[in-house]
Structures are given as C-alpha cells and as structure tokens.
Amino acid sequence: MKFTAFLKTRGATAAIFMGIFYAVAMLGIFLPGYTAIPGNVDKLPIAIINDDAGKNGAMIAEIYKKIYPLKKSRRIYQINKP
C-alpha cells in the first residue's frame, strides 16, 4: 500500500483529525491561563514572615513597611519560637 493510499484510509484520517483537534483544544484551554498571569501579578498575595524576636525583629518589620508599601497590607505577625 502506498503512503497516499494509507492517508486516505478511515483510521489515518481519524488519527490526523484527532491530532489536530487535540492541539487546537489544548491551545484553547491553556493559552488563556498563561496570558492571565502577567496581568494579575499585582493582585498576588505575598507573606513576609519575621522569625526574629525582640528589638531587631521590630526594626526589620518597620523597614519592610517603609520600603515595600502594600496597597492592602495586613497585620505583621511576629512568631516567637518557644
């Protein structure tokens, strides 16, 4: 059987169609997710954990507040290790 005759068979035609359909479907599903990331980075929540107890920990927390002003800042918790 020649290659052109093979391509005209029902199985080969279905396989080619499914391959193209799968590629287009994956692009349609995943591509919008990748383009949404750069536009929403400013909405990404971050956490800064300060494990330093005492005067140095408070000083670091104040420096971070001045350097990185957050739009929606929440409380800065200091975790004291037992």
Side-chain angles (χ1 to χ4, degrees), residues 10-23:
R10 187 173 179 183
T13 306
I16 292 170
F17 172 76
M18 285 306 296
I20 293 171
F21 175 77
Y22 182 78

Side-chain angles (χ1 to χ4, degrees), residues 17-68:
F17 172 76
M18 285 306 296
I20 293 171
F21 175 77
Y22 182 78
V24 171
M26 289 299 112
L27 281 173
I29 292 169
F30 288 109
L31 199 57
Y34 290 121
T35 57
I37 292 172
N40 295 321
V41 170
D42 59 338
K43 298 175 187 172
L44 185 68
I46 60 168
I48 300 171
I49 299 173
N50 185 6
D51 283 340
D52 296 332
K55 187 170 85 173
N56 290 335
M59 181 180 68
I60 291 171
E62 289 302 318
I63 289 172
Y64 272 122
K65 282 182 187 178
K66 290 177 185 174
I67 293 175
Y68 303 110

